[in-house]
PDB file of all heavy atoms in Angstrom:
ATOM      1  N   ASP A   4      29.568  32.109 244.267  1.00  0.00           N
ATOM      2  CA  ASP A   4      30.083  30.769 244.568  1.00  0.00           C
ATOM      3  C   ASP A   4      31.609  30.750 244.542  1.00  0.00           C
ATOM      4  O   ASP A   4      32.243  30.112 245.388  1.00  0.00           O
ATOM      5  CB  ASP A   4      29.524  29.739 243.574  1.00  0.00           C
ATOM      6  CG  ASP A   4      28.042  29.486 243.767  1.00  0.00           C
ATOM      7  OD1 ASP A   4      27.525  29.767 244.875  1.00  0.00           O
ATOM      8  OD2 ASP A   4      27.404  29.012 242.803  1.00  0.00           O
ATOM      9  N   TYR A   5      32.191  31.435 243.581  1.00  0.00           N
ATOM     10  CA  TYR A   5      33.645  31.516 243.487  1.00  0.00           C
ATOM     11  C   TYR A   5      34.225  32.170 244.749  1.00  0.00           C
ATOM     12  O   TYR A   5      35.212  31.699 245.312  1.00  0.00           O
ATOM     13  CB  TYR A   5      34.068  32.302 242.245  1.00  0.00           C
ATOM     14  CG  TYR A   5      35.549  32.539 242.175  1.00  0.00           C
ATOM     15  CD1 TYR A   5      36.402  31.543 241.721  1.00  0.00           C
ATOM     16  CD2 TYR A   5      36.098  33.748 242.593  1.00  0.00           C
ATOM     17  CE1 TYR A   5      37.776  31.752 241.677  1.00  0.00           C
ATOM     18  CE2 TYR A   5      37.462  33.963 242.555  1.00  0.00           C
ATOM     19  CZ  TYR A   5      38.296  32.959 242.088  1.00  0.00           C
ATOM     20  OH  TYR A   5      39.647  33.168 242.057  1.00  0.00           O
ATOM     21  N   VAL A   6      33.587  33.247 245.203  1.00  0.00           N
ATOM     22  CA  VAL A   6      34.069  33.948 246.402  1.00  0.00           C
ATOM     23  C   VAL A   6      33.965  33.031 247.617  1.00  0.00           C
ATOM     24  O   VAL A   6      34.885  32.955 248.434  1.00  0.00           O
ATOM     25  CB  VAL A   6      33.283  35.263 246.612  1.00  0.00           C
ATOM     26  CG1 VAL A   6      33.585  35.867 247.973  1.00  0.00           C
ATOM     27  CG2 VAL A   6      33.614  36.264 245.511  1.00  0.00           C
ATOM     28  N   ARG A   7      32.865  32.322 247.749  1.00  0.00           N
ATOM     29  CA  ARG A   7      32.706  31.389 248.873  1.00  0.00           C
ATOM     30  C   ARG A   7      33.810  30.329 248.871  1.00  0.00           C
ATOM     31  O   ARG A   7      34.397  30.018 249.909  1.00  0.00           O
ATOM     32  CB  ARG A   7      31.343  30.708 248.810  1.00  0.00           C
ATOM     33  CG  ARG A   7      30.240  31.537 249.376  1.00  0.00           C
ATOM     34  CD  ARG A   7      28.935  30.743 249.493  1.00  0.00           C
ATOM     35  NE  ARG A   7      27.832  31.677 249.445  1.00  0.00           N
ATOM     36  CZ  ARG A   7      27.210  32.083 248.342  1.00  0.00           C
ATOM     37  NH1 ARG A   7      27.559  31.603 247.169  1.00  0.00           N
ATOM     38  NH2 ARG A   7      26.239  32.960 248.407  1.00  0.00           N
ATOM     39  N   GLN A   8      34.090  29.761 247.712  1.00  0.00           N
ATOM     40  CA  GLN A   8      35.131  28.734 247.617  1.00  0.00           C
ATOM     41  C   GLN A   8      36.504  29.313 247.943  1.00  0.00           C
ATOM     42  O   GLN A   8      37.299  28.691 248.651  1.00  0.00           O
ATOM     43  CB  GLN A   8      35.147  28.116 246.222  1.00  0.00           C
ATOM     44  CG  GLN A   8      33.969  27.227 245.939  1.00  0.00           C
ATOM     45  CD  GLN A   8      33.976  26.728 244.493  1.00  0.00           C
ATOM     46  OE1 GLN A   8      34.808  27.141 243.688  1.00  0.00           O
ATOM     47  NE2 GLN A   8      33.039  25.842 244.182  1.00  0.00           N
ATOM     48  N   ALA A   9      36.778  30.488 247.415  1.00  0.00           N
ATOM     49  CA  ALA A   9      38.085  31.107 247.647  1.00  0.00           C
ATOM     50  C   ALA A   9      38.274  31.450 249.128  1.00  0.00           C
ATOM     51  O   ALA A   9      39.350  31.228 249.694  1.00  0.00           O
ATOM     52  CB  ALA A   9      38.239  32.358 246.785  1.00  0.00           C
ATOM     53  N   ILE A  10      37.245  31.983 249.762  1.00  0.00           N
ATOM     54  CA  ILE A  10      37.344  32.333 251.180  1.00  0.00           C
ATOM     55  C   ILE A  10      37.531  31.083 252.031  1.00  0.00           C
ATOM     56  O   ILE A  10      38.312  31.081 252.985  1.00  0.00           O
ATOM     57  CB  ILE A  10      36.101  33.138 251.630  1.00  0.00           C
ATOM     58  CG1 ILE A  10      36.141  34.547 251.032  1.00  0.00           C
ATOM     59  CG2 ILE A  10      36.028  33.228 253.146  1.00  0.00           C
ATOM     60  CD1 ILE A  10      34.903  35.382 251.316  1.00  0.00           C
ATOM     61  N   SER A  11      36.853  30.012 251.682  1.00  0.00           N
ATOM     62  CA  SER A  11      36.970  28.786 252.481  1.00  0.00           C
ATOM     63  C   SER A  11      38.363  28.162 252.376  1.00  0.00           C
ATOM     64  O   SER A  11      38.788  27.453 253.286  1.00  0.00           O
ATOM     65  CB  SER A  11      35.908  27.774 252.054  1.00  0.00           C
ATOM     66  OG  SER A  11      36.184  27.285 250.760  1.00  0.00           O
ATOM     67  N   LYS A  12      39.093  28.431 251.296  1.00  0.00           N
ATOM     68  CA  LYS A  12      40.422  27.860 251.100  1.00  0.00           C
ATOM     69  C   LYS A  12      41.554  28.755 251.611  1.00  0.00           C
ATOM     70  O   LYS A  12      42.715  28.374 251.529  1.00  0.00           O
ATOM     71  CB  LYS A  12      40.651  27.556 249.619  1.00  0.00           C
ATOM     72  CG  LYS A  12      39.755  26.444 249.112  1.00  0.00           C
ATOM     73  CD  LYS A  12      39.986  26.185 247.648  1.00  0.00           C
ATOM     74  CE  LYS A  12      39.028  25.099 247.160  1.00  0.00           C
ATOM     75  NZ  LYS A  12      39.205  24.840 245.736  1.00  0.00           N
ATOM     76  N   MET A  13      41.211  29.922 252.146  1.00  0.00           N
ATOM     77  CA  MET A  13      42.241  30.839 252.636  1.00  0.00           C
ATOM     78  C   MET A  13      42.818  30.328 253.954  1.00  0.00           C
ATOM     79  O   MET A  13      42.197  29.540 254.666  1.00  0.00           O
ATOM     80  CB  MET A  13      41.648  32.236 252.817  1.00  0.00           C
ATOM     81  CG  MET A  13      41.291  32.888 251.493  1.00  0.00           C
ATOM     82  SD  MET A  13      40.538  34.494 251.664  1.00  0.00           S
ATOM     83  CE  MET A  13      41.944  35.456 252.144  1.00  0.00           C
ATOM     84  N   GLY A  14      44.034  30.780 254.269  1.00  0.00           N
ATOM     85  CA  GLY A  14      44.709  30.375 255.489  1.00  0.00           C
ATOM     86  C   GLY A  14      44.037  30.929 256.736  1.00  0.00           C
ATOM     87  O   GLY A  14      43.188  31.826 256.661  1.00  0.00           O
ATOM     88  N   PRO A  15      44.422  30.430 257.903  1.00  0.00           N
ATOM     89  CA  PRO A  15      43.768  30.852 259.145  1.00  0.00           C
ATOM     90  C   PRO A  15      44.028  32.309 259.517  1.00  0.00           C
ATOM     91  O   PRO A  15      43.192  32.935 260.166  1.00  0.00           O
ATOM     92  CB  PRO A  15      44.356  29.909 260.202  1.00  0.00           C
ATOM     93  CG  PRO A  15      45.607  29.380 259.617  1.00  0.00           C
ATOM     94  CD  PRO A  15      45.429  29.402 258.129  1.00  0.00           C
ATOM     95  N   GLU A  16      45.158  32.869 259.106  1.00  0.00           N
ATOM     96  CA  GLU A  16      45.479  34.265 259.427  1.00  0.00           C
ATOM     97  C   GLU A  16      45.076  35.223 258.307  1.00  0.00           C
ATOM     98  O   GLU A  16      45.181  36.431 258.467  1.00  0.00           O
ATOM     99  CB  GLU A  16      46.972  34.412 259.710  1.00  0.00           C
ATOM    100  CG  GLU A  16      47.453  33.610 260.896  1.00  0.00           C
ATOM    101  CD  GLU A  16      46.854  34.100 262.200  1.00  0.00           C
ATOM    102  OE1 GLU A  16      46.717  35.323 262.358  1.00  0.00           O
ATOM    103  OE2 GLU A  16      46.524  33.259 263.048  1.00  0.00           O
ATOM    104  N   ASP A  17      44.658  34.703 257.159  1.00  0.00           N
ATOM    105  CA  ASP A  17      44.301  35.533 256.017  1.00  0.00           C
ATOM    106  C   ASP A  17      42.949  36.196 256.241  1.00  0.00           C
ATOM    107  O   ASP A  17      42.076  35.659 256.917  1.00  0.00           O
ATOM    108  CB  ASP A  17      44.275  34.701 254.745  1.00  0.00           C
ATOM    109  CG  ASP A  17      45.645  34.132 254.404  1.00  0.00           C
ATOM    110  OD1 ASP A  17      46.642  34.669 254.908  1.00  0.00           O
ATOM    111  OD2 ASP A  17      45.702  33.149 253.645  1.00  0.00           O
ATOM    112  N   GLN A  18      42.793  37.384 255.649  1.00  0.00           N
ATOM    113  CA  GLN A  18      41.550  38.142 255.779  1.00  0.00           C
ATOM    114  C   GLN A  18      40.946  38.364 254.409  1.00  0.00           C
ATOM    115  O   GLN A  18      41.644  38.382 253.400  1.00  0.00           O
ATOM    116  CB  GLN A  18      41.812  39.491 256.440  1.00  0.00           C
ATOM    117  CG  GLN A  18      42.353  39.395 257.832  1.00  0.00           C
ATOM    118  CD  GLN A  18      42.569  40.774 258.435  1.00  0.00           C
ATOM    119  OE1 GLN A  18      42.415  41.793 257.774  1.00  0.00           O
ATOM    120  NE2 GLN A  18      42.911  40.797 259.702  1.00  0.00           N
ATOM    121  N   SER A  19      39.637  38.573 254.397  1.00  0.00           N
ATOM    122  CA  SER A  19      38.960  38.849 253.125  1.00  0.00           C
ATOM    123  C   SER A  19      37.830  39.837 253.349  1.00  0.00           C
ATOM    124  O   SER A  19      37.323  39.991 254.455  1.00  0.00           O
ATOM    125  CB  SER A  19      38.413  37.558 252.521  1.00  0.00           C
ATOM    126  OG  SER A  19      37.439  37.003 253.374  1.00  0.00           O
ATOM    127  N   ALA A  20      37.465  40.500 252.269  1.00  0.00           N
ATOM    128  CA  ALA A  20      36.326  41.422 252.259  1.00  0.00           C
ATOM    129  C   ALA A  20      35.637  41.264 250.912  1.00  0.00           C
ATOM    130  O   ALA A  20      36.257  40.866 249.923  1.00  0.00           O
ATOM    131  CB  ALA A  20      36.782  42.865 252.460  1.00  0.00           C
ATOM    132  N   VAL A  21      34.345  41.564 250.884  1.00  0.00           N
ATOM    133  CA  VAL A  21      33.571  41.474 249.649  1.00  0.00           C
ATOM    134  C   VAL A  21      32.860  42.802 249.443  1.00  0.00           C
ATOM    135  O   VAL A  21      32.231  43.329 250.361  1.00  0.00           O
ATOM    136  CB  VAL A  21      32.539  40.319 249.704  1.00  0.00           C
ATOM    137  CG1 VAL A  21      31.730  40.268 248.422  1.00  0.00           C
ATOM    138  CG2 VAL A  21      33.235  38.997 249.962  1.00  0.00           C
ATOM    139  N   ILE A  22      32.969  43.326 248.214  1.00  0.00           N
ATOM    140  CA  ILE A  22      32.307  44.573 247.846  1.00  0.00           C
ATOM    141  C   ILE A  22      31.390  44.294 246.669  1.00  0.00           C
ATOM    142  O   ILE A  22      31.804  43.718 245.668  1.00  0.00           O
ATOM    143  CB  ILE A  22      33.346  45.653 247.462  1.00  0.00           C
ATOM    144  CG1 ILE A  22      34.191  46.006 248.672  1.00  0.00           C
ATOM    145  CG2 ILE A  22      32.666  46.889 246.887  1.00  0.00           C
ATOM    146  CD1 ILE A  22      35.303  46.984 248.375  1.00  0.00           C
ATOM    147  N   ALA A  23      30.140  44.706 246.802  1.00  0.00           N
ATOM    148  CA  ALA A  23      29.184  44.636 245.696  1.00  0.00           C
ATOM    149  C   ALA A  23      29.128  46.029 245.076  1.00  0.00           C
ATOM    150  O   ALA A  23      29.046  47.030 245.785  1.00  0.00           O
ATOM    151  CB  ALA A  23      27.814  44.216 246.205  1.00  0.00           C
ATOM    152  N   PHE A  24      29.193  46.085 243.752  1.00  0.00           N
ATOM    153  CA  PHE A  24      29.187  47.400 243.125  1.00  0.00           C
ATOM    154  C   PHE A  24      28.280  47.417 241.902  1.00  0.00           C
ATOM    155  O   PHE A  24      27.995  46.413 241.292  1.00  0.00           O
ATOM    156  CB  PHE A  24      30.608  47.845 242.749  1.00  0.00           C
ATOM    157  CG  PHE A  24      31.216  47.078 241.607  1.00  0.00           C
ATOM    158  CD1 PHE A  24      31.142  47.559 240.312  1.00  0.00           C
ATOM    159  CD2 PHE A  24      31.877  45.878 241.833  1.00  0.00           C
ATOM    160  CE1 PHE A  24      31.710  46.856 239.260  1.00  0.00           C
ATOM    161  CE2 PHE A  24      32.448  45.173 240.796  1.00  0.00           C
ATOM    162  CZ  PHE A  24      32.360  45.662 239.501  1.00  0.00           C
ATOM    163  N   GLY A  25      27.828  48.594 241.623  1.00  0.00           N
ATOM    164  CA  GLY A  25      27.037  48.917 240.443  1.00  0.00           C
ATOM    165  C   GLY A  25      27.377  50.367 240.153  1.00  0.00           C
ATOM    166  O   GLY A  25      28.512  50.706 239.865  1.00  0.00           O
ATOM    167  N   GLY A  26      26.393  51.259 240.306  1.00  0.00           N
ATOM    168  CA  GLY A  26      26.662  52.687 240.194  1.00  0.00           C
ATOM    169  C   GLY A  26      27.385  53.206 241.415  1.00  0.00           C
ATOM    170  O   GLY A  26      28.059  54.222 241.371  1.00  0.00           O
ATOM    171  N   ASP A  27      27.241  52.513 242.536  1.00  0.00           N
ATOM    172  CA  ASP A  27      27.977  52.816 243.755  1.00  0.00           C
ATOM    173  C   ASP A  27      28.552  51.513 244.303  1.00  0.00           C
ATOM    174  O   ASP A  27      28.264  50.443 243.785  1.00  0.00           O
ATOM    175  CB  ASP A  27      27.073  53.502 244.792  1.00  0.00           C
ATOM    176  CG  ASP A  27      25.805  52.705 245.085  1.00  0.00           C
ATOM    177  OD1 ASP A  27      25.546  51.697 244.391  1.00  0.00           O
ATOM    178  OD2 ASP A  27      25.068  53.081 246.004  1.00  0.00           O
ATOM    179  N   ALA A  28      29.370  51.614 245.316  1.00  0.00           N
ATOM    180  CA  ALA A  28      30.006  50.424 245.879  1.00  0.00           C
ATOM    181  C   ALA A  28      29.615  50.293 247.342  1.00  0.00           C
ATOM    182  O   ALA A  28      29.626  51.278 248.084  1.00  0.00           O
ATOM    183  CB  ALA A  28      31.518  50.517 245.751  1.00  0.00           C
ATOM    184  N   LEU A  29      29.268  49.079 247.749  1.00  0.00           N
ATOM    185  CA  LEU A  29      28.853  48.805 249.120  1.00  0.00           C
ATOM    186  C   LEU A  29      29.647  47.640 249.676  1.00  0.00           C
ATOM    187  O   LEU A  29      29.881  46.645 248.981  1.00  0.00           O
ATOM    188  CB  LEU A  29      27.358  48.473 249.160  1.00  0.00           C
ATOM    189  CG  LEU A  29      26.420  49.520 248.554  1.00  0.00           C
ATOM    190  CD1 LEU A  29      25.011  48.975 248.438  1.00  0.00           C
ATOM    191  CD2 LEU A  29      26.427  50.779 249.403  1.00  0.00           C
ATOM    192  N   VAL A  30      30.047  47.754 250.935  1.00  0.00           N
ATOM    193  CA  VAL A  30      30.785  46.676 251.582  1.00  0.00           C
ATOM    194  C   VAL A  30      29.784  45.604 251.993  1.00  0.00           C
ATOM    195  O   VAL A  30      28.934  45.822 252.856  1.00  0.00           O
ATOM    196  CB  VAL A  30      31.576  47.180 252.803  1.00  0.00           C
ATOM    197  CG1 VAL A  30      32.279  46.027 253.503  1.00  0.00           C
ATOM    198  CG2 VAL A  30      32.578  48.235 252.392  1.00  0.00           C
ATOM    199  N   GLU A  31      29.875  44.463 251.370  1.00  0.00           N
ATOM    200  CA  GLU A  31      28.992  43.334 251.672  1.00  0.00           C
ATOM    201  C   GLU A  31      29.523  42.540 252.863  1.00  0.00           C
ATOM    202  O   GLU A  31      28.768  42.081 253.706  1.00  0.00           O
ATOM    203  CB  GLU A  31      28.881  42.432 250.435  1.00  0.00           C
ATOM    204  CG  GLU A  31      28.010  41.229 250.612  1.00  0.00           C
ATOM    205  CD  GLU A  31      26.545  41.578 250.784  1.00  0.00           C
ATOM    206  OE1 GLU A  31      26.079  42.566 250.204  1.00  0.00           O
ATOM    207  OE2 GLU A  31      25.871  40.841 251.518  1.00  0.00           O
ATOM    208  N   HIS A  32      30.820  42.357 252.909  1.00  0.00           N
ATOM    209  CA  HIS A  32      31.476  41.589 253.973  1.00  0.00           C
ATOM    210  C   HIS A  32      32.732  42.359 254.348  1.00  0.00           C
ATOM    211  O   HIS A  32      33.652  42.476 253.533  1.00  0.00           O
ATOM    212  CB  HIS A  32      31.810  40.188 253.419  1.00  0.00           C
ATOM    213  CG  HIS A  32      32.569  39.297 254.339  1.00  0.00           C
ATOM    214  ND1 HIS A  32      32.031  38.766 255.471  1.00  0.00           N
ATOM    215  CD2 HIS A  32      33.842  38.830 254.286  1.00  0.00           C
ATOM    216  CE1 HIS A  32      32.937  38.003 256.069  1.00  0.00           C
ATOM    217  NE2 HIS A  32      34.036  38.042 255.354  1.00  0.00           N
ATOM    218  N   PRO A  33      32.815  42.929 255.563  1.00  0.00           N
ATOM    219  CA  PRO A  33      33.992  43.730 255.923  1.00  0.00           C
ATOM    220  C   PRO A  33      35.238  42.867 256.069  1.00  0.00           C
ATOM    221  O   PRO A  33      35.160  41.650 256.195  1.00  0.00           O
ATOM    222  CB  PRO A  33      33.597  44.360 257.259  1.00  0.00           C
ATOM    223  CG  PRO A  33      32.548  43.471 257.808  1.00  0.00           C
ATOM    224  CD  PRO A  33      31.833  42.853 256.642  1.00  0.00           C
ATOM    225  N   MET A  34      36.393  43.509 256.061  1.00  0.00           N
ATOM    226  CA  MET A  34      37.669  42.802 256.154  1.00  0.00           C
ATOM    227  C   MET A  34      37.741  42.065 257.486  1.00  0.00           C
ATOM    228  O   MET A  34      37.696  42.676 258.552  1.00  0.00           O
ATOM    229  CB  MET A  34      38.828  43.795 256.040  1.00  0.00           C
ATOM    230  CG  MET A  34      40.191  43.166 255.959  1.00  0.00           C
ATOM    231  SD  MET A  34      40.501  42.224 254.467  1.00  0.00           S
ATOM    232  CE  MET A  34      40.635  43.493 253.230  1.00  0.00           C
ATOM    233  N   SER A  35      37.821  40.744 257.410  1.00  0.00           N
ATOM    234  CA  SER A  35      37.932  39.924 258.615  1.00  0.00           C
ATOM    235  C   SER A  35      38.510  38.562 258.245  1.00  0.00           C
ATOM    236  O   SER A  35      38.592  38.205 257.069  1.00  0.00           O
ATOM    237  CB  SER A  35      36.569  39.754 259.286  1.00  0.00           C
ATOM    238  OG  SER A  35      35.735  38.930 258.506  1.00  0.00           O
ATOM    239  N   ALA A  36      38.860  37.798 259.260  1.00  0.00           N
ATOM    240  CA  ALA A  36      39.401  36.456 259.053  1.00  0.00           C
ATOM    241  C   ALA A  36      38.286  35.410 259.012  1.00  0.00           C
ATOM    242  O   ALA A  36      38.568  34.224 258.891  1.00  0.00           O
ATOM    243  CB  ALA A  36      40.396  36.123 260.155  1.00  0.00           C
ATOM    244  N   SER A  37      37.051  35.848 259.073  1.00  0.00           N
ATOM    245  CA  SER A  37      35.910  34.928 259.045  1.00  0.00           C
ATOM    246  C   SER A  37      35.845  34.203 257.700  1.00  0.00           C
ATOM    247  O   SER A  37      36.046  34.797 256.647  1.00  0.00           O
ATOM    248  CB  SER A  37      34.612  35.699 259.278  1.00  0.00           C
ATOM    249  OG  SER A  37      33.499  34.873 259.042  1.00  0.00           O
ATOM    250  N   LYS A  38      35.552  32.922 257.750  1.00  0.00           N
ATOM    251  CA  LYS A  38      35.467  32.110 256.533  1.00  0.00           C
ATOM    252  C   LYS A  38      34.023  31.937 256.067  1.00  0.00           C
ATOM    253  O   LYS A  38      33.736  31.165 255.177  1.00  0.00           O
ATOM    254  CB  LYS A  38      36.085  30.718 256.772  1.00  0.00           C
ATOM    255  CG  LYS A  38      37.514  30.762 257.260  1.00  0.00           C
ATOM    256  CD  LYS A  38      38.423  31.371 256.233  1.00  0.00           C
ATOM    257  CE  LYS A  38      39.845  31.388 256.720  1.00  0.00           C
ATOM    258  NZ  LYS A  38      40.489  32.667 256.615  1.00  0.00           N
ATOM    259  N   GLU A  39      33.115  32.677 256.670  1.00  0.00           N
ATOM    260  CA  GLU A  39      31.698  32.586 256.313  1.00  0.00           C
ATOM    261  C   GLU A  39      31.318  33.726 255.369  1.00  0.00           C
ATOM    262  O   GLU A  39      31.637  34.881 255.613  1.00  0.00           O
ATOM    263  CB  GLU A  39      30.832  32.673 257.572  1.00  0.00           C
ATOM    264  CG  GLU A  39      31.086  31.557 258.565  1.00  0.00           C
ATOM    265  CD  GLU A  39      30.710  30.200 258.018  1.00  0.00           C
ATOM    266  OE1 GLU A  39      29.676  30.097 257.334  1.00  0.00           O
ATOM    267  OE2 GLU A  39      31.460  29.246 258.270  1.00  0.00           O
ATOM    268  N   PHE A  40      30.637  33.370 254.303  1.00  0.00           N
ATOM    269  CA  PHE A  40      30.075  34.370 253.393  1.00  0.00           C
ATOM    270  C   PHE A  40      28.735  33.841 252.927  1.00  0.00           C
ATOM    271  O   PHE A  40      28.660  32.873 252.188  1.00  0.00           O
ATOM    272  CB  PHE A  40      31.011  34.630 252.204  1.00  0.00           C
ATOM    273  CG  PHE A  40      30.440  35.578 251.191  1.00  0.00           C
ATOM    274  CD1 PHE A  40      30.149  36.878 251.535  1.00  0.00           C
ATOM    275  CD2 PHE A  40      30.179  35.162 249.893  1.00  0.00           C
ATOM    276  CE1 PHE A  40      29.616  37.757 250.606  1.00  0.00           C
ATOM    277  CE2 PHE A  40      29.645  36.028 248.962  1.00  0.00           C
ATOM    278  CZ  PHE A  40      29.366  37.331 249.317  1.00  0.00           C
ATOM    279  N   GLY A  41      27.666  34.475 253.385  1.00  0.00           N
ATOM    280  CA  GLY A  41      26.316  34.029 253.037  1.00  0.00           C
ATOM    281  C   GLY A  41      25.827  34.675 251.760  1.00  0.00           C
ATOM    282  O   GLY A  41      26.603  35.023 250.868  1.00  0.00           O
ATOM    283  N   GLU A  42      24.547  34.838 251.666  1.00  0.00           N
ATOM    284  CA  GLU A  42      23.930  35.480 250.506  1.00  0.00           C
ATOM    285  C   GLU A  42      24.189  36.977 250.535  1.00  0.00           C
ATOM    286  O   GLU A  42      24.293  37.591 251.592  1.00  0.00           O
ATOM    287  CB  GLU A  42      22.416  35.224 250.502  1.00  0.00           C
ATOM    288  CG  GLU A  42      22.048  33.767 250.315  1.00  0.00           C
ATOM    289  CD  GLU A  42      22.493  33.224 248.970  1.00  0.00           C
ATOM    290  OE1 GLU A  42      22.327  33.940 247.959  1.00  0.00           O
ATOM    291  OE2 GLU A  42      23.015  32.108 248.951  1.00  0.00           O
ATOM    292  N   MET A  43      24.265  37.566 249.350  1.00  0.00           N
ATOM    293  CA  MET A  43      24.464  39.011 249.257  1.00  0.00           C
ATOM    294  C   MET A  43      23.166  39.723 249.602  1.00  0.00           C
ATOM    295  O   MET A  43      22.102  39.371 249.094  1.00  0.00           O
ATOM    296  CB  MET A  43      24.935  39.398 247.855  1.00  0.00           C
ATOM    297  CG  MET A  43      26.364  38.996 247.608  1.00  0.00           C
ATOM    298  SD  MET A  43      27.047  39.586 246.051  1.00  0.00           S
ATOM    299  CE  MET A  43      26.544  41.253 245.955  1.00  0.00           C
ATOM    300  N   THR A  44      23.273  40.724 250.467  1.00  0.00           N
ATOM    301  CA  THR A  44      22.099  41.495 250.866  1.00  0.00           C
ATOM    302  C   THR A  44      22.173  42.942 250.402  1.00  0.00           C
ATOM    303  O   THR A  44      21.162  43.633 250.395  1.00  0.00           O
ATOM    304  CB  THR A  44      21.927  41.462 252.393  1.00  0.00           C
ATOM    305  OG1 THR A  44      23.119  41.973 253.002  1.00  0.00           O
ATOM    306  CG2 THR A  44      21.676  40.041 252.882  1.00  0.00           C
ATOM    307  N   SER A  45      23.349  43.410 250.026  1.00  0.00           N
ATOM    308  CA  SER A  45      23.496  44.794 249.564  1.00  0.00           C
ATOM    309  C   SER A  45      22.882  44.952 248.187  1.00  0.00           C
ATOM    310  O   SER A  45      22.973  44.067 247.338  1.00  0.00           O
ATOM    311  CB  SER A  45      24.979  45.183 249.492  1.00  0.00           C
ATOM    312  OG  SER A  45      25.556  45.105 250.761  1.00  0.00           O
ATOM    313  N   ILE A  46      22.267  46.113 247.974  1.00  0.00           N
ATOM    314  CA  ILE A  46      21.650  46.397 246.683  1.00  0.00           C
ATOM    315  C   ILE A  46      22.206  47.726 246.173  1.00  0.00           C
ATOM    316  O   ILE A  46      21.669  48.786 246.460  1.00  0.00           O
ATOM    317  CB  ILE A  46      20.114  46.472 246.792  1.00  0.00           C
ATOM    318  CG1 ILE A  46      19.572  45.184 247.399  1.00  0.00           C
ATOM    319  CG2 ILE A  46      19.496  46.731 245.424  1.00  0.00           C
ATOM    320  CD1 ILE A  46      18.104  45.241 247.731  1.00  0.00           C
ATOM    321  N   PRO A  47      23.296  47.670 245.423  1.00  0.00           N
ATOM    322  CA  PRO A  47      23.831  48.909 244.856  1.00  0.00           C
ATOM    323  C   PRO A  47      22.971  49.387 243.685  1.00  0.00           C
ATOM    324  O   PRO A  47      22.107  48.659 243.199  1.00  0.00           O
ATOM    325  CB  PRO A  47      25.234  48.514 244.391  1.00  0.00           C
ATOM    326  CG  PRO A  47      25.168  47.049 244.202  1.00  0.00           C
ATOM    327  CD  PRO A  47      24.118  46.521 245.126  1.00  0.00           C
ATOM    328  N   ASP A  48      23.228  50.600 243.228  1.00  0.00           N
ATOM    329  CA  ASP A  48      22.537  51.157 242.072  1.00  0.00           C
ATOM    330  C   ASP A  48      22.838  50.270 240.870  1.00  0.00           C
ATOM    331  O   ASP A  48      23.958  50.234 240.371  1.00  0.00           O
ATOM    332  CB  ASP A  48      23.027  52.589 241.834  1.00  0.00           C
ATOM    333  CG  ASP A  48      22.436  53.223 240.594  1.00  0.00           C
ATOM    334  OD1 ASP A  48      21.398  52.731 240.107  1.00  0.00           O
ATOM    335  OD2 ASP A  48      23.014  54.207 240.109  1.00  0.00           O
ATOM    336  N   ALA A  49      21.840  49.522 240.406  1.00  0.00           N
ATOM    337  CA  ALA A  49      22.053  48.522 239.357  1.00  0.00           C
ATOM    338  C   ALA A  49      22.009  49.118 237.952  1.00  0.00           C
ATOM    339  O   ALA A  49      22.303  48.424 236.981  1.00  0.00           O
ATOM    340  CB  ALA A  49      21.001  47.422 239.479  1.00  0.00           C
TER     341      ALA A  49
END
């Protein structure tokens, strides 16, 4: 929820990416200017 709020408040030229990590790290949302971030689908080694 924090990530969703932060991404929605970013400027129009700003970019964001989301990484889910556990034992390994997976790119959940690649670096882009998109303001959409849905549910996490990546399943790292928990």
